[in-house]
C-alpha cells in the first residue's frame, strides 16, 4: 500500500480528498448514508465524469479537446431521436450514438494530426460545428428515450433486474448482495475498465503517454505517434458520446444547450487537473479524472446542504476551478531545468 501511494501520489491525494468531502456531506445530509442519496448523487455525477474521461486522453498526449461538451450535446440530441422503439432498435440507437461520438473524435484527430492545426483551435471550431448540428436535430428541447431503459439505468441494480425480469423466482438470490448499488456507477467504472484499462496497456496506449512526455523522443524510438494521437481524440469522442447518451437516457430528452456544453467542457478540464493529470501531458489517468469530477460534484452538493446563496455559487465554483488549474500549472515552478518545459 505504501509503495502504491508513492507511485500514485496524485490518485491517492484525490481519493482521500473525495472520501473526506463525501463523508462529511453524508454526515450533514438529513438522509445521508442511504441508497436513495447515493443513487441521486451518482446520476448527477456520471455525465461530468464521462466528459472528464474524454478530456483526459488528449491531455495525456499533450493536447486539449474543447469540443467534448459540444459532442456530448450532439450525441444527446442524436440519442433522443434513435433510442426508442423495439429492443433491437434501442440497442441499435445506442450503438449509433456512440459511433457518432467516436467518429466526431476521429475527425478532430485527423484535423489536428494530418492538418497540423493546434488542438485548441481545431476543437474550438469543431465544437461550434457540433453545436450547430445539435441545433439542426433539436431546435427545441424534445424527443423521447425508452422509459424502461431510463428507469433501469438511473436507479439501483435491483430496479434494473426488476425492470427486465432478471430478479424473479430463484434468480433473485444473486442480485441481493448488489441490490442497492447504483447502476450509473457500474456503467461508468465498467466503461473505464472495459475500454480505458485495456487500451492503456496496448502499444498505442503507452505511446499516448510517451507523446505527452516527449514527442520527439517517441518519434525517434519508432513508436506509432500519429496513431496514438488519432486514438486519443477518437477515445475522447467516444467517452463524450457516452456522456451524451447517458444524459439523454437520464433526462429522456435532447437539448442543444450551448451554455451547458461550455460548462461541461470547462469542468472537464478542472476535473482532469484535480485528478493529477499534467496539462503538459504524459502523466495521469482516467480513473483519477473520474475522482476529480466527483470532487467537483460534491462541492455543488454542499451548496444544497448548506443553503448557500445562489449568487455566491458561481463565485465559489470559479475559485475552485482557478485553484485546480493553478495547481496544474504549479508544476512548472518545480522544474529545475527550464528546457524540460519545452519537451
Amino acid at each position: 500500500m505504501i509503495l502504491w501511494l508513492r507511485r500514485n501520489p496524485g490518485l491517492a491525494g484525490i481519493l482521500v480528498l473525495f472520501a473526506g468531502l463525501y463523508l462529511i456531506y453524508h454526515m450533514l445530509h438529513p438522509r445521508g448514508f442511504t441508497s436513495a442519496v447515493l443513487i441521486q448523487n451518482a446520476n448527477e455525477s456520471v455525465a461530468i465524469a464521462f466528459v472528464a474521461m474524454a478530456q483526459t486522453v488528449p491531455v495525456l498526449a499533450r493536447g486539449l479537446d474543447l469540443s467534448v461538451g459540444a459532442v456530448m450535446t450532439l450525441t444527446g440530441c442524436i440519442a433522443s431521436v434513435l433510442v426508442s422503439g423495439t429492443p433491437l432498435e434501442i440497442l441499435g440507437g445506442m450503438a449509433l450514438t456512440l459511433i457518432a461520438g467516436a467518429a466526431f473524435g476521429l475527425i478532430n484527430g485527423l484535423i489536428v494530426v494530418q492538418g497540423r492545426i493546434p488542438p485548441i483551435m481545431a476543437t474550438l471550431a469543431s465544437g461550434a460545428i457540433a453545436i450547430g448540428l445539435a441545433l439542426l436535430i433539436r431546435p427545441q428541447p424534445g424527443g423521447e428515450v425508452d422509459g424502461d431503459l431510463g428507469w433501469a439505468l438511473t436507479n439501483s441494480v435491483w430496479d434494473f433486474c426488476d425492470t427486465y425480469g432478471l430478479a424473479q423466482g430463484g434468480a433473485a438470490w444473486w442480485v441481493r448482495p448488489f441490490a442497492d448499488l447504483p447502476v450509473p456507477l457500474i456503467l461508468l467504472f465498467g466503461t473505464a475498465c472495459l475500454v480505458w484499462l485495456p487500451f492503456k496497456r496496448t502499444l498505442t496506449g503507452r505511446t499516448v503517454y510517451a507523446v505527452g512526455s516527449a514527442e520527439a523522443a517517441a518519434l525517434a524510438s519508432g513508436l506509432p505517434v500519429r496513431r496514438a494521437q488519432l486514438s486519443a481524440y477518437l477515445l475522447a469522442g467516444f467517452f463524450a458520446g457516452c456522456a451524451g447518451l447517458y444524459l439523454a437516457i437520464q433526462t429522456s430528452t435532447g437539448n442543444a444547450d450551448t451554455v451547458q456544453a461550455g460548462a461541461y467542457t470547462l469542468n472537464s478540464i478542472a476535473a482532469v487537473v484535480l485528478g493529477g493529470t499534467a496539462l503538459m501531458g504524459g502523466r495521469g489517468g482516467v480513473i483519477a479524472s473520474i475522482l476529480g469530477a466527483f470532487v467537483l460534484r460534491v462541492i455543488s452538493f454542499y451548496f444544497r446542504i448548506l443553503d448557500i446563496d445562489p449568487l455566491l455559487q458561481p463565485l465559489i465554483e470559479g475559485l475552485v476551478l482557478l485553484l485546480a488549474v493553478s495547481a496544474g500549472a504549479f508544476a512548472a515552478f518545480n522544474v529545475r531545468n527550464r528546457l524540460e518545459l519545452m519537451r
Side-chain angles (χ1 to χ4, degrees), residues 87-169:
L88 187 60
E89 290 173 336
I90 291 171
L91 290 175
M94 295 171 68
L96 288 174
T97 299
L98 297 179
I99 290 171
F104 208 95
L106 180 60
I107 292 172
N108 278 339
L110 290 172
I111 294 172
V112 172
V113 176
Q114 302 298 335
R116 300 183 183 278
I117 298 176
I120 291 179
M121 299 302 299
T123 56
L124 183 64
S126 65
I129 294 173
I131 288 295
L133 293 174
L135 286 168
L136 285 176
I137 297 172
R138 287 290 174 210
Q140 299 293 332
E144 183 179 357
V145 176
D146 184 76
D148 287 342
L149 181 70
W151 174 260
L153 296 186
T154 58
N155 283 282
S156 67
V157 171
W158 179 265
D159 292 316
F160 178 90
C161 294
D162 184 56
T163 300
Y164 293 109
L166 302 176
Q168 297 177 357

Side-chain angles (χ1 to χ4, degrees), residues 55 77 98 104 119 136 159 199 217 233 240 251-252 287 296 307 325:
Q55 191 66 256
C77 291
L98 297 179
F104 208 95
L136 285 176
D159 292 316
F199 172 79
Y233 285 96
T251 60
S252 191
I287 303 300
L296 290 178
D307 196 23
V325 176

